[in-house]
Amino acid sequence: MQFRDLDAQYEALKPQMDNAVLGVLASGRFIGGDPVSQLEGKLAAYVGVKHCITCANGTDALQLALMAWGVGPGDAVFVPDFTFFSSGEVVSTVGATPVFVDVDERSFNIDPVKLEAAVRAVDAEGALVPKVVVAVDLFGLPADYSAIRDICENHTMLLLEDGAQGFGGQIGDRTACSFGDISTTSFFPAKPLGCYGDGGAVFTDDDEWAALVRSYAVHGKGSMKYDNVRVGMNSRLDTVQAAILDVKLDAFASHEVDDVNRVADWYDEALGDSALTLPMRYDGMLSSWAQYTVQLPEGADRDALQAALKNQGVPTMVYYPKPMHEQLAFEGACEVPLPCDVTERLCKSVLALPMGPYMAQEDVELVAQAIASTIK
Ligand SMILES: *Cc1c(COP(=O)(O)O)cnc(C)c1O
């Protein structure tokens, strides 16, 4: 069994996929061109925003958003303590200060009550200006955007949605990557919508920010490529990856999001009697299930369970073993106004199980049996 079965997806999409890649090879154009602009149009339409700007990866996408907003030294950027490193890394890259905020123990996403308290604490201290909230759609579930949006408006902060894991999720009839003032995603192969290499995208309804992101992504270009009006980056999505994503987006939109939700239902059912805490479901919210993450009961030996599952052919992963504020890279270079005890607990108790739209029900049952035979 694979942790995320990309082979089965390739098998299902092989004729269109091979065709798409060979088409780019035959065209002789490997950077930019029609496949990239067509994909950007399709992605923007799928998400329901005006602009999509593709770039080299999800980390660059976040950085480009912060650059477009002119975020830098003296600015506080609020980031969940329980996320992938990139969500906070980019804040330091642009010279601003990451302020880590604890998460909700059932949604795994930033806790709006603690966010409000953290913003007030930074405000009261007066050393940094609260500028941006990075809300992460962790494991595929959209963050609590109605509460987070209110906090941003009350404190005049911008909202950046890190939808690297959340692409395809929904709240009501709105799609993930449309909830931020700017939203971003990653096309890393194992993400909900992945390519066959690195890729990322920035989404926004704002014309001016879209133009700035486009400029920063291509060496701060002005009216043309050899006119450079600001210092930027070199961050582009390859034409080959764009052609691959075009094929994958069709499958994603037409059935993969439904399929992966069916797999999650099978897991809920198969693990319903276990000692595990299963991922929480929220009315009106759809997850794109980047991960199916369970919590082990207190005192359970996670290393032993992982080893036992591995022996039975079931791969698992720990996302994430360490709170952001404990990463050496942020030592002395971040703020943690309030304790992050939920994150600290989750880092010790979470376990991500094999997941993906092509997973068979027998495999879900095999995982459940392997777990049941190990933790009683
Ligand atoms: C994967 C990921 C990123 C970074 O994406 P890359 O394409 O790997 O640079 C950012 N944020 C989160 C939450 C992620 O999971």
Side-chain angles (χ1 to χ4, degrees):
M1 195 183 312
Q2 297 194 343
F3 185 69
R4 191 168 187 95
D5 195 350
L6 295 175
D7 296 348
Q9 186 192 40
Y10 179 53
E11 215 36 63
L13 305 176
K14 189 171 178 352
Q16 305 98 291
M17 197 70 89
D18 290 357
N19 221 6
V21 172
L22 291 174
V24 175
L25 299 194
S27 79
R29 178 146 194 205
F30 305 111
I31 298 290
D34 290 344
V36 176
S37 46
Q38 274 164 25
L39 176 73
E40 288 179 341
K42 246 165 106 162
L43 287 166
Y46 176 82
V47 166
V49 298
K50 198 165 168 197
H51 303 282
C52 169
I53 303 103
T54 53
C55 62
N57 55 67
T59 308
D60 282 5
L62 289 165
Q63 187 180 330
L64 286 163
L66 295 179
M67 289 170 90
W69 285 339
V71 174
D75 293 335
V77 178
F78 299 83
V79 179
D81 200 38
F82 190 56
T83 180
F84 180 63
F85 187 62
S86 290
S87 314
E89 179 182 31
V90 293
V91 177
S92 300
T93 306
V94 301
T97 303
V99 180
F100 293 116
V101 179
D102 207 4
V103 296
D104 178 88
E105 80 178 302
R106 294 312 313 280
S107 71
F108 305 121
N109 285 329
I110 198 164
D111 182 330
V113 174
K114 291 177 178 174
L115 172 61
E116 172 74 34
V119 177
R120 284 175 190 271
V122 168
D123 247 341
E125 207 192 336
L128 298 168
V129 182
K131 262 288 172 57
V132 175
V133 174
V134 178
V136 180
D137 303 332
L138 204 72
F139 307 145
L141 183 74
D144 184 354
Y145 285 104
S146 63
I148 297 165
R149 173 60 71 188
D150 283 349
I151 295 166
C152 287
E153 277 171 9
N154 289 340
H155 296 276
T156 331
M157 295 184 294
L158 293 161
L159 175 53
L160 175 54
E161 175 185 6
D162 179 352
Q165 301 181 15
F167 195 81
Q170 288 193 322
I171 303 176
D173 56 6
R174 283 185 60 190
T175 304
C177 293
S178 72
F179 299 119
D181 294 303
I182 297 181
S183 304
T184 64
T185 198
S186 162
F187 303 124
F188 182 83
K191 307 280 171 162
L193 177 64
C195 58
Y196 288 153
D198 277 310
V202 179
F203 299 90
T204 185
D205 280 323
D206 188 282
D207 298 343
E208 199 176 320
W209 294 333
L212 281 168
V213 167
R214 254 193 214 290
S215 167
Y216 277 116
V218 185
H219 306 291
K221 70 172 177 182
S223 56
M224 53 86 95
K225 198 171 160 187
Y226 300 107
D227 171 36
N228 305 92
V229 297
R230 49 184 73 85
V231 172
M233 304 165 72
N234 173 23
S235 187
R236 294 177 293 227
L237 183 76
D238 295 351
T239 315
V240 168
Q241 300 303 341
I244 288 164
L245 283 167
D246 189 75
V247 173
K248 287 220 199 183
L249 179 57
D250 289 342
F252 186 80
S254 70
H255 62 87
E256 285 182 0
V257 178
D258 293 339
D259 294 346
V260 81
N261 271 279
R262 193 170 324 116
V263 176
D265 291 343
W266 291 337
Y267 262 128
D268 281 5
E269 170 100 39
L271 295 171
D273 294 330
S274 72
L276 304 172
T277 303
L278 306 186
M280 185 73 172
R281 305 299 192 100
Y282 293 87
D283 279 348
M285 273 204 195
L286 185 77
S287 175
S288 58
W289 298 105
Q291 307 295 341
Y292 188 91
T293 300
V294 298
Q295 296 176 54
L296 306 197
E298 211 173 316
D301 185 341
R302 186 171 60 186
D303 291 345
L305 175 62
Q306 278 198 285
L309 293 176
K310 192 173 170 207
N311 276 335
Q312 297 174 72
V314 176
T316 57
M317 303 288 275
V318 173
Y319 300 124
Y320 293 91
K322 214 186 227 196
M324 293 286 272
H325 76 269
E326 284 179 18
Q327 295 288 0
L328 186 59
F330 294 123
E331 196 174 62
C334 70
E335 300 270 338
V336 194
L338 299 161
C340 293
D341 40 309
V342 172
T343 298
E344 279 163 24
R345 212 160 52 236
L346 290 175
C347 288
K348 297 193 180 84
S349 66
V350 289
L351 190 65
L353 306 179
M355 189 54 168
Y358 295 86
M359 195 168 172
Q361 192 165 13
E362 300 90 82
D363 282 343
V364 171
E365 268 147 27
L366 217 142
V367 174
Q369 278 155 23
I371 290 171
S373 71
T374 313
I375 44 171
K376 297 275 152 42

